[in-house]
Amino acid sequence: MTDYVTRTEFEQLATRVDIVEREVDGEKMVTRHVLTETRRNSDDLAAIKTRLDRVEQKVDGVAQELGEVRKELAGVRGMVSGLVATLPGLIADTMREVLKERDGR
């Protein structure tokens, strides 16, 4: 047997189909928006990563230069320590020579 659909039932069904179609269209819009934002965020993240790589390279360069400065500073400290150790003797020798010259005249 074939059941016939009444006009009211058909209109209700048509209304439900319209609602489902709008929901599907809405979902498509949301999906497109999400994909667009994902692409945009991916581009932004790639740019940030590139910049961060450059910053890391610069920091590594600064760290290397700082290591070289530390080595040079250690050398200067050694020279100053040596000077501090020998300076009293240099001054004493110089004063002896000056006093000898003064007294010898």
Side-chain angles (χ1 to χ4, degrees):
M1 288 185 101
T2 307
D3 288 335
Y4 290 99
V5 178
T6 65
R7 184 169 194 77
T8 306
E9 290 174 330
F10 180 78
E11 288 174 357
Q12 287 176 351
L13 185 58
T15 302
R16 287 181 171 180
V17 168
D18 286 344
I19 290 170
V20 169
E21 285 177 346
R22 278 184 264 147
E23 286 180 1
V24 168
D25 288 341
E27 289 293 325
K28 285 180 182 178
M29 287 175 44
V30 168
T31 301
R32 286 185 192 119
H33 176 73
V34 167
L35 289 173
T36 301
E37 290 300 313
T38 300
R39 275 189 223 109
R40 187 176 299 144
N41 289 343
S42 295
D43 292 344
D44 291 346
L45 288 173
I48 290 170
K49 185 180 181 312
T50 300
R51 289 179 183 168
L52 182 59
D53 288 344
R54 280 189 240 139
V55 168
E56 285 178 342
Q57 289 174 353
K58 288 180 181 179
V59 168
D60 290 343
V62 168
Q64 185 177 3
E65 288 179 17
L66 184 58
E68 292 171 8
V69 167
R70 284 182 179 163
K71 288 177 186 176
E72 290 176 14
L73 183 58
V76 170
R77 283 183 180 154
M79 290 171 41
V80 169
S81 295
L83 183 59
V84 167
T86 59
L87 190 58
L90 290 173
I91 292 173
D93 292 344
T94 304
M95 286 304 297
R96 278 189 215 102
E97 288 179 27
V98 167
L99 291 174
K100 280 181 187 178
E101 285 178 17
R102 186 190 71 182
D103 292 341
R105 285 189 187 168

